[in-house]
Amino acid sequence: MQLQKTINEDRLFNLLPYFFDHPSSVLVEIAQNAVRSGATRLDITLENGVLKTADNGSGADNPESLFVLADSNWPEDVEENQKPAGWGLFFLYSISEEVVFTSRFGTVNVDCKRYLADDEYRLCVLEGMNPDMRFDGFVIEARLRSEVKDKVLDQELLQWFPLDIIINGACLPGKKAEEQFGDYGIKTVYEGNPVYIKLDCSFYDIPEKLAREMFVVWYGIPINHNHRWRPSVIMDVVNGSPVTPVLPYRRTVKHDGKLDAFWQFVRDTVVRESVSVINDLKKEISFHELEKRMKIIGALGTQDELNSLDRFYVEVYEPHHDGFYGSGRD
């Protein structure tokens, strides 16, 4: 018996809206596409439930890739480095009533409810394209569903993109890793990507902790984003694929061989730096800083690395106090 289909397409498209749980992520997808197309500016307006975006990138001369799930049709270097999933515009279809695309191919309108539910409509969606209304960049106009229209704008998720982003006429203040974390004690490079490391006593002694708590800017997308804290390890990914973001949202980093290799790099860098500081007997260093470095070595160092130290310390606890470790009574 020969199988005719590998997936139930009708069921997939009907369930697609349930795959996307954070409407604000759709602007991340749009900004990411703008960067990939070489854009330097992205204009965004949201008024009365109508979202409009326009970028000055290279645009598109073939609209077919806009309607093929998991087929992004980006240049080879983008495909190789950034691993685009090809889901972004389907996210837009899932939260919109109607979408209009305008680029070098002209203009095409999409009835989103019909597109997701009617396979015949999907097959002929390009028949109504107007090739005369062209734009060199890429323009999107989407009439959002009422339940999401107030949940789309999240400016913090857009601040890390290397774009001039204008939201409802106001320029969004951008963020750069060098400006935010350039004061960290260790600044280094991993596979062509800037890395910033802040030393503290509760350092990441296993890869799982690093995956949960480090901050990654993935070509402008913030992963493990939390503006209320400054994590000990930050990587600004601008080259290659040094870690693996978990698709489709890229909110976390996958624990795989790439993460293990990066953790080993961080561990080696931190240990090497700390051994150098501890063994520099001529350089003045505060007791607090020395103690911090020693505790880090105690957590991360091998026996050979511990044996290489020219200093050691002993913690003595006051037996008549019921304080816990680290309470200041040691």
Side-chain angles (χ1 to χ4, degrees):
M1 187 174 87
Q2 185 177 6
L3 292 175
Q4 298 300 313
K5 285 188 176 182
T6 57
I7 62 170
N8 185 331
E9 183 178 299
D10 291 338
R11 182 168 175 80
L12 172 64
F13 276 86
N14 274 291
L15 291 176
L16 204 60
Y18 299 101
F19 295 177
F20 306 110
D21 58 350
H22 288 75
S24 58
S25 295
V26 76
L27 283 181
V28 173
E29 298 289 341
I30 292 172
Q32 183 176 231
N33 286 347
V35 172
R36 289 169 177 166
S37 71
T40 59
R41 176 179 173 124
L42 174 64
D43 286 88
I44 300 171
T45 61
L46 179 58
E47 186 176 2
N48 298 323
V50 177
L51 173 69
K52 295 181 181 180
T53 68
D55 69 59
N56 64 348
S58 59
D61 55 13
N62 184 353
E64 290 185 10
S65 62
L66 307 180
F67 303 104
V68 181
L69 186 63
D71 182 11
S72 52
N73 197 34
W74 289 107
E76 184 177 349
D77 62 325
V78 173
E79 294 280 355
E80 177 64 24
N81 293 333
Q82 301 186 37
K83 304 294 189 291
W87 286 69
L89 293 179
F90 284 81
F91 194 162
L92 184 65
Y93 305 149
S94 297
I95 65 172
S96 303
E97 300 284 353
E98 181 184 21
V99 175
V100 181
F101 298 112
T102 305
S103 191
R104 288 186 287 119
F105 54 73
T107 298
V108 59
N109 292 58
V110 186
D111 181 326
C112 297
K113 186 175 181 179
R114 287 187 64 191
Y115 185 79
L116 296 177
D118 186 343
D119 59 342
E120 291 186 5
Y121 177 78
R122 285 196 293 273
L123 291 174
C124 64
V125 68
L126 292 179
E127 291 182 1
M129 185 177 70
N130 182 349
D132 297 325
M133 297 182 63
R134 301 173 183 271
F135 182 74
D136 287 339
F138 201 88
V139 176
I140 299 172
E141 182 173 339
R143 182 162 52 87
L144 301 175
R145 294 188 177 187
S146 58
E147 63 268 27
V148 304
K149 64 180 182 179
D150 297 324
K151 302 177 182 179
V152 168
L153 280 182
D154 186 343
Q155 299 188 11
E156 289 182 3
L157 292 177
L158 299 174
Q159 288 182 307
W160 298 94
F161 282 99
L163 287 167
D164 292 329
I165 298 181
I166 314 300
I167 299 180
N168 291 331
C171 185
L172 178 68
K175 290 184 177 180
K176 296 181 179 179
E178 173 63 30
E179 296 174 354
Q180 298 291 316
F181 309 109
D183 59 340
Y184 276 23
I186 298 177
K187 290 182 282 186
T188 184
V189 175
Y190 179 72
E191 296 184 2
N193 302 286
V195 174
Y196 307 87
I197 302 175
K198 177 182 66 174
L199 298 179
D200 57 45
C201 293
S202 58
F203 209 77
Y204 312 132
D205 55 349
I206 56 175
E208 289 84 356
K209 287 185 180 178
L210 183 63
R212 287 195 306 268
E213 301 182 27
M214 75 173 178
F215 177 45
V216 177
V217 181
W218 177 267
Y219 294 96
I221 299 176
I223 300 177
N224 285 353
H225 176 257
N226 189 331
H227 67 280
R228 292 181 293 274
W229 58 283
R230 298 203 340 143
S232 297
V233 177
I234 292 91
M235 178 157 54
D236 186 12
V237 178
V238 295
N239 181 64
S241 181
V243 290
T244 307
V246 177
L247 297 174
Y249 303 113
R250 294 185 174 91
R251 295 199 194 102
T252 57
V253 171
K254 183 179 180 181
H255 185 186
D256 58 7
K258 290 183 177 182
L259 178 70
D260 290 339
F262 180 59
W263 177 84
Q264 189 67 47
F265 168 82
V266 171
R267 191 217 73 92
D268 293 347
T269 301
V270 168
V271 168
R272 183 172 58 251
E273 167 80 9
S274 296
V275 169
S276 175
V277 170
I278 292 168
N279 285 347
D280 189 353
L281 302 180
K282 296 181 180 180
K283 184 177 180 180
E284 290 189 10
I285 182 173
S286 69
F287 175 78
H288 173 72
E289 181 66 19
L290 184 60
E291 179 190 28
K292 179 173 69 175
R293 300 275 185 163
M294 296 292 282
K295 287 183 175 179
I296 290 173
I297 290 293
L300 300 179
T302 64
Q303 189 59 55
D304 286 344
E305 288 164 339
L306 292 171
N307 292 343
S308 73
L309 298 178
D310 294 333
R311 310 192 220 199
F312 69 93
Y313 76 96
V314 177
E315 287 183 320
V316 179
Y317 301 97
E318 170 55 59
H320 302 295
H321 287 292
D322 59 358
F324 55 86
Y325 176 79
S327 64
R329 294 182 176 130
D330 49 294

